[in-house]
Amino acid sequence: MPADQAGGRRSPGVIRLAPSYYKYLSLLKLSPFERHAGGGWRFGTRRIAYSVVDRLTASGRARIEGSRLQLVAQIEGD
């Protein structure tokens, strides 16, 4: 059983994502989000809120590289 499920303990520095954020992770698997020239983030024509990008980067699931938000590869067994 993972440490975050054993008695409610969590690893330090791990931020859990709400279930609604997993749809954004699915989109990132398809293609990175791009920083829009007028501000904000985009997946195609869909707007992505700054708060979503902040939460994904804070959780360690994504990182900003230049003008793109990339999915971070997960290591099996984590």
Side-chain angles (χ1 to χ4, degrees):
M1 179 181 299
D4 66 339
Q5 293 177 1
R9 292 176 285 149
R10 274 194 261 176
S11 302
V14 174
I15 296 175
R16 298 185 68 180
L17 291 174
S20 61
Y21 285 90
Y22 287 93
K23 67 181 175 185
Y24 297 106
L25 290 175
S26 296
L27 292 176
L28 277 173
K29 287 179 184 177
L30 297 173
S31 178
F33 298 169
E34 295 186 5
R35 194 181 313 248
H36 192 262
W41 292 89
R42 303 276 184 183
F43 178 80
T45 59
R46 182 182 179 127
R47 291 174 134 184
I48 307 297
Y50 284 111
S51 60
V52 171
V53 173
D54 291 344
R55 187 72 174 190
L56 292 174
T57 56
S59 71
R61 307 275 178 104
R63 68 175 174 257
I64 298 172
E65 294 181 2
S67 63
R68 294 180 169 216
L69 181 72
Q70 303 275 353
L71 185 66
V72 173
Q74 296 293 316
I75 299 171
E76 288 296 320
D78 281 350

